[in-house]
Amino acid sequence: MIAIPYLTALSTYFSYGLLFAFGQLRDFFRKIVDWWRASTLDGYAPICLGLEDFYIRRLYLRIQDCFGRPISSAPDAWFDVVERYSNDNNKTLKRTTKTSKCLNLGSYNYLGFAAADEYCTPRAIESLKKFAASTCSTRVDGGTTMLHTDLEECVARFVGKPAAVVFGMGYVTNSAILPILMGKGGLIISDSLNHNSIVNGARGSGATIRVFQHNTPSHLETVLREQIAEGQPRTHRPWKKIMVIVEGIYSMEGELCKLPEIVSICKKYKAYVYLDEAHSIGAVGKSGRGVCELLGVDTADVDVMMGTFTKSFGSCGGYIAGSKELVQYLKYTCPAHLYGTAISPPGAQQIISSIKVILGEDGSNRGAQKLARIRENSNFFRSELQKMGFEVLGDNDSPVMPIMLYNPAKIPAFSRECLRQKVAVVTVAFPATPLLLARARICISAAHTKEDLVKALEVCLSVCLGLPVIFLLKSPFFIHMFCF
């Protein structure tokens, strides 16, 4: 876990306190002004309630230009960012016809397949001509093509499982599958920093949910032992089913899961293992097969393997891989399969082609070169950031590198200054992270050259050296005093 220096925590709380205080003051004056205006909504309850509405109006809108930046090219190592402007203090943003070519440090394009590829792109175009852009149907109606069948066989072979089923959206893969696998009388033990799709899926299942400290196998064992001893709430009957859910690489921390220890504990207590490899499949491991390959875990010891195609494979959708019985059951019962539109045929072909490149089945060694490059780029960039004095989270080999910013004024300052110097970064703050743990999340790609990474490092360093002055001028106090 992150140890926050006392002074940093104090200054961050103080900044949020100023934002909250001045925001409340502005709302007070707005109520006075609105009291004199006629309202057409008398008797209606407000749609947006409480602190959520306050947060959006008084905090998020002030820095919304740092988020949702539109692009006008493929998300390659360099891409075109559309310039925007605002005439009302960032409440609304308007696009211009101008673009800036920026170094892309925000996309999940880990292996570089999101841009044009000599092997994948022609085949995706051919599938578009043959099958069209969409099947316009669910898988159980008219939405299953030869490509979907081939894709499921290809994924199962790639991840090392007997069978697999694919879905049109990665987020839905978790949120729709967990309510099918677990239910009342079951127990889900989830890592405290699991993705929101897992959280929503677990809540929707009706199962009892317990959380263990992030990536801490010893605490997982403690929770398992206590829950098995206590049994179900009130009745204390044995649990019908216990499932432990972890991620291969945690998207906001860049940390590798301690999978060998977790699998060992789950075997000891007869609990199922659910592994989310959204950010690890295709990106780590000697042949790109994820954390099981990287950490030496037999895939037979992982009961449910989940992953997405939106990162390393440059496409869309997600998958669940497991036993043939599990996959057949999901095909009969999962609403994402029964009611969700199938993956577009060109998207399916893109995944098949990218897997063939990774495995060298395209007749070249480009896949091995990409895997070596993403590993080298990630480790080089992480080590250089640490040498410069940045507080960087995560493990070696992980292409996700969070740089801790903490203070709310640093979030827009870092993002805007990097963009001004033609480097596009993603900043993340509350509610996507805890209040004190705002960060810039860097995603490295195999498409980046050494020169690209050196430029990015130079920009990050120059921005942070100038950040104290920017931080002062754009602190919450100055923002609210002079932008009332």
Side-chain angles (χ1 to χ4, degrees):
M1 300 299 290
I2 304 169
I4 308 174
Y6 178 78
L7 186 60
T8 300
L10 188 63
S11 65
T12 303
Y13 274 129
F14 178 72
S15 296
Y16 276 113
L18 280 178
L19 286 166
F20 184 83
F22 279 103
Q24 292 290 346
L25 184 63
R26 296 180 69 185
D27 277 0
F28 173 75
F29 284 108
R30 189 177 78 162
K31 287 178 181 178
I32 295 176
V33 173
D34 289 346
W35 186 77
W36 296 96
R37 296 177 181 173
S39 175
T40 58
L41 296 175
D42 288 338
Y44 286 84
I47 294 177
C48 302
L49 295 173
L51 289 176
E52 291 85 356
D53 179 49
F54 176 84
Y55 176 83
I56 292 171
R57 289 185 294 101
R58 298 307 184 197
L59 280 78
Y60 176 79
L61 289 182
R62 293 186 170 279
I63 62 172
Q64 70 164 327
D65 61 298
C66 299
F67 308 107
R69 289 171 176 154
I71 64 174
S72 59
S73 66
D76 204 356
W78 290 78
F79 61 0
D80 297 326
V81 179
V82 178
E83 296 182 8
R84 297 179 292 175
Y85 71 95
S86 176
N87 294 325
D88 53 7
N89 293 323
N90 251 21
K91 290 181 181 178
T92 58
L93 295 169
K94 297 181 180 180
R95 295 193 301 272
T96 69
T97 57
K98 297 179 181 179
T99 61
S100 298
K101 194 171 187 63
C102 298
L103 180 59
N104 180 8
L105 294 182
S107 297
Y108 300 136
N109 184 25
Y110 295 142
L111 294 184
F113 284 119
D117 183 83
E118 62 188 67
Y119 184 83
C120 300
T121 304
R123 285 160 177 78
I125 293 173
E126 186 61 32
S127 69
L128 176 62
K129 294 177 180 178
K130 182 176 181 180
F131 296 101
S134 173
T135 62
C136 297
S137 182
T138 65
R139 288 289 305 278
V140 296
D141 294 330
T144 297
T145 67
M146 295 183 299
L147 290 176
H148 294 88
T149 304
D150 292 344
L151 174 59
E152 289 176 340
E153 294 174 355
C154 184
V155 169
R157 178 167 56 90
F158 181 66
V159 302
K161 280 292 187 180
V165 56
V166 298
F167 305 94
M169 182 181 178
Y171 186 97
V172 168
T173 305
N174 276 329
S175 58
I177 285 295
L178 287 173
I180 301 301
L181 295 179
M182 302 296 291
K184 189 176 181 180
L187 173 65
I188 292 175
I189 302 181
S190 179
D191 187 288
S192 61
L193 296 184
N194 274 340
H195 191 264
N196 181 261
S197 60
I198 295 174
V199 174
N200 284 342
R203 288 173 177 171
S205 69
T208 300
I209 303 170
R210 294 292 181 267
V211 175
F212 69 96
Q213 292 173 5
H214 171 58
N215 222 9
T216 308
S218 59
H219 188 244
L220 168 62
E221 184 169 14
T222 300
V223 174
L224 264 171
R225 189 187 302 115
E226 289 176 353
Q227 293 302 313
I228 291 173
E230 292 178 6
Q232 297 184 40
R234 293 188 300 276
T235 65
H236 301 291
R237 293 176 179 173
W239 298 102
K240 293 180 180 178
K241 193 189 305 180
I242 300 176
M243 181 172 286
V244 175
I245 306 177
V246 295
E247 296 186 35
I249 292 178
Y250 291 89
S251 59
M252 287 297 171
E253 284 68 39
E255 293 179 347
L256 294 168
C257 170
K258 295 180 180 179
L259 193 60
E261 297 92 330
I262 289 171
V263 166
S264 176
I265 292 169
C266 290
K267 278 185 174 182
K268 179 179 178 181
Y269 293 94
K270 303 296 187 293
Y272 291 110
V273 180
Y274 185 109
L275 175 64
D276 178 339
E277 288 213 88
H279 289 267
S280 56
I281 192 66
V284 297
K286 185 178 180 181
S287 59
R289 288 183 165 91
V291 292
C292 288
E293 182 179 50
L294 179 68
L295 302 177
V297 175
D298 189 347
T299 55
D301 294 332
V302 180
D303 302 285
V304 185
M305 299 184 72
M306 176 269 176
T308 62
F309 304 121
T310 55
K311 281 81 177 176
S312 299
F313 306 102
S315 187
C316 59
Y319 69 85
I320 292 288
S323 64
K324 291 182 178 180
E325 294 78 12
L326 170 66
V327 169
Q328 196 66 37
Y329 172 73
L330 293 178
K331 288 183 176 180
Y332 288 148
T333 58
C334 181
H337 183 80
L338 297 174
Y339 307 113
T341 304
I343 294 178
S344 68
Q349 181 61 64
Q350 166 70 22
I351 302 162
I352 295 171
S353 300
S354 60
I355 290 177
K356 287 184 177 181
V357 173
I358 293 171
L359 296 177
E361 296 177 1
D362 63 329
S364 73
N365 66 341
R366 289 195 307 121
Q369 291 175 353
K370 284 177 177 290
L371 289 167
R373 195 176 304 120
I374 182 65
R375 183 169 57 251
E376 292 167 3
N377 286 353
S378 300
N379 293 338
F380 167 76
F381 201 80
R382 184 185 302 279
S383 63
E384 291 301 310
L385 284 175
Q386 291 171 339
K387 289 177 185 176
M388 291 177 178
F390 288 94
E391 186 174 357
V392 185
L393 305 185
D395 298 317
N396 285 336
D397 291 348
S398 170
V400 182
M401 274 159 252
I403 300 175
M404 301 309 298
L405 299 177
Y406 299 114
N407 201 288
K410 292 181 180 178
I411 301 167
F414 185 84
S415 178
R416 290 166 182 163
E417 287 302 307
C418 283
L419 186 66
R420 190 178 64 82
Q421 299 189 44
K422 308 304 180 186
V423 174
V425 299
V426 170
T427 50
V428 189
F430 180 84
T433 66
L435 190 68
L436 294 180
L437 302 181
R439 65 199 68 182
R441 185 178 61 177
I442 306 297
C443 292
I444 299 300
S445 170
H448 289 134
T449 64
K450 190 70 170 291
E451 291 74 21
D452 294 338
L453 300 181
V454 170
K455 173 181 171 56
L457 290 166
E458 291 173 350
V459 169
C460 287
L461 182 60
S462 67
V463 168
C464 285
L465 288 176
L467 210 55
V469 176
I470 299 168
F471 172 69
L472 175 63
L473 295 178
K474 298 185 178 182
S475 66
F477 178 77
F478 281 91
I479 288 173
H480 283 279
M481 286 300 292
F482 297 105
C483 299
F484 188 85

